[in-house]
Amino acid sequence: MTGNESVPKALTIAGSDSGAGAGIQADLKTFSALGVYGSTVITAITAQNTLGVTAVHEVPPEVVAAQIDAVMEDIGAQAAKTGMLSSAAIIETVVAGVRRHNIDRLVVDPVMVAKSGDRLLRDDAVAALRELLLPLAFIVTPNAPEAEVLCGRPVRSEEEMREAARVIHSFGPRYVVLKGGHVDGDAVIDLLYDGQGFERFALPRVPTPHTHGTGCTFSAAIAAYLARGVDVPDAVWRAKQFLHRALEAAFQIGRGRSPVHHFHRWWAPVLQEEEVS
């Protein structure tokens, strides 16, 4: 570790969202909102807004590797997270970088599909994700559809979530957080599995269409709390609470599915001060 050791630092390895609701932009907003200095490794550039993804340009693997080295050799990070890793070649590059720099607090968000339904992961990358990256993960945070792809079985109930978490844990991650946002129910139930037992986290479902970037925000919040030295169950619970409040405060930005409000704790007081002045 280098630099100012009193400042918690986290690294995001993900794609850029030009609409700034998900990906690198959502991760940086989350890190900042939670008092963590964020660095970035951009794996892809997407032309994206609240309506969907219109173009994707992958960053060459050698440039991805160079970004990892540049950040870790100078700034460092107490925790890192991955998001959009669209090809097997990029996953292999990230795996090599994680090994090279001994990144042990790695949160893997297995991003496969955007909220708009656009695919963000090639078919050839699924096996690389499962076989190469998951064994290095400290925590992996699949939602139900992603868990179905990873473990090859339906995930539509809490019991099926438990079964899927066991299968995914067998791929090598230290912890599995299986998210229940896509599972029916008045509450959103997330399950944390460590290979021996489950912890269950539940909060009421927020009735909002503005859910763009929820997965990125949740995994980034976990990484931020890990960087601050919080233990795993508490990091997951705090991240879930942060996302819950960001959903409650979400507002319309474009004409489609807008992002969660990462700075819900700050904008209202600032606006009030401006009105008074």
Side-chain angles (χ1 to χ4, degrees):
M1 193 63 61
T2 58
N4 189 333
E5 300 302 331
S6 66
V7 178
K9 291 168 280 190
L11 170 65
T12 170
I13 306 171
S16 169
D17 171 4
S18 55
I24 287 283
Q25 289 84 348
D27 294 343
L28 284 179
K29 290 176 186 178
T30 302
F31 292 162
S32 296
L34 296 177
V36 173
Y37 182 84
S39 299
T40 64
V41 172
I42 298 176
T43 61
I45 300 168
T46 71
Q48 187 174 169
N49 54 29
T50 65
L51 299 172
V53 180
T54 59
V56 176
H57 175 72
E58 291 183 3
V59 173
E62 61 270 20
V63 179
V64 173
Q67 291 176 84
I68 295 173
D69 292 343
V71 171
M72 293 305 298
E73 289 170 3
D74 177 40
I75 298 168
Q78 288 97 345
K81 65 146 291 189
T82 64
M84 178 185 176
L85 307 175
S86 56
S87 70
I90 289 177
I91 290 173
E92 291 166 3
T93 299
V94 171
V95 165
V98 169
R99 292 186 182 279
R100 190 161 60 249
H101 296 286
N102 299 311
I103 301 172
D104 58 353
R105 287 290 193 269
L106 180 67
V107 180
V108 174
D109 181 13
V111 176
M112 297 180 184
V113 179
K115 276 290 185 296
S116 58
D118 297 286
R119 285 292 300 271
L120 299 176
L121 185 71
R122 293 184 190 173
D123 291 337
D124 71 329
V126 175
L129 176 69
R130 185 190 299 115
E131 297 166 12
L132 301 178
L133 189 60
L134 290 191
L136 300 183
F138 185 62
I139 302 175
V140 60
T141 62
N143 59 29
E146 291 161 349
E148 290 181 345
V149 173
L150 289 173
C151 70
R153 63 177 66 195
V155 182
R156 301 187 183 98
S157 67
E158 186 172 344
E159 186 51 43
E160 289 178 344
M161 288 173 64
R162 291 174 183 268
E163 294 171 4
R166 294 186 183 98
V167 173
I168 294 170
H169 187 270
S170 72
F171 300 145
R174 176 82 177 274
Y175 296 92
V176 177
V177 178
L178 214 159
K179 301 176 296 186
H182 291 79
V183 177
D184 291 339
D186 293 333
V188 175
I189 297 166
D190 299 333
L191 298 176
L192 171 65
Y193 182 60
D194 64 359
Q196 297 184 350
F198 287 90
E199 290 197 49
R200 186 177 185 270
F201 304 97
L203 284 172
R205 191 176 298 274
V206 178
T208 176
H210 307 317
T211 57
H212 186 49
T214 51
C216 305
T217 299
F218 180 63
S219 56
I222 293 174
Y225 283 119
L226 292 177
R228 289 174 52 180
V230 176
D231 64 21
V232 171
D234 198 19
V236 172
W237 177 233
R238 291 192 195 188
K240 184 175 179 66
Q241 291 175 304
F242 173 78
L243 176 59
H244 182 82
R245 291 190 290 268
L247 283 162
E248 287 182 322
F251 55 91
Q252 188 78 35
I253 286 293
R255 291 176 290 126
R257 194 183 298 270
S258 295
V260 304
H261 187 7
H262 299 90
F263 295 115
H264 52 271
R265 292 175 57 191
W266 309 110
W267 280 26
V270 169
L271 293 174
Q272 289 168 6
E273 289 172 9
E274 290 176 349
E275 289 171 0
V276 169
S277 62

